[in-house]
Amino acid sequence: MLHTTLAAPAAELAAARVLTGKFVQRRYLRGLDRPLISSGDFILAREYGILWRTAAPFPSEFVLSTSGMTSA
């Protein structure tokens, strides 16, 4: 059932040339009572790479492409 439920969205994602979204990351480290949480957004352009922008806890940008990774 899950396979058929996800078939249409998976096909749309596979065909998309550009994808955008928001993210929240939680990292659990030994010795810390609470997770480290960061959030932001991303743009994936299949022919160019990924722009990964973190907004919190502090702003940063990473660009991943076939030529490498850069940060701002």
Side-chain angles (χ1 to χ4, degrees), residues 3-19:
H3 177 63
T4 56
T5 303
L6 296 177
E12 285 182 42
L13 288 173
R17 295 176 64 117
V18 176
L19 298 172

Side-chain angles (χ1 to χ4, degrees), residues 11-20 43-50:
E12 285 182 42
L13 288 173
R17 295 176 64 117
V18 176
L19 298 172
T20 63
I43 301 170
L44 181 139
R46 291 196 190 275
E47 295 165 8
Y48 299 102
I50 300 171

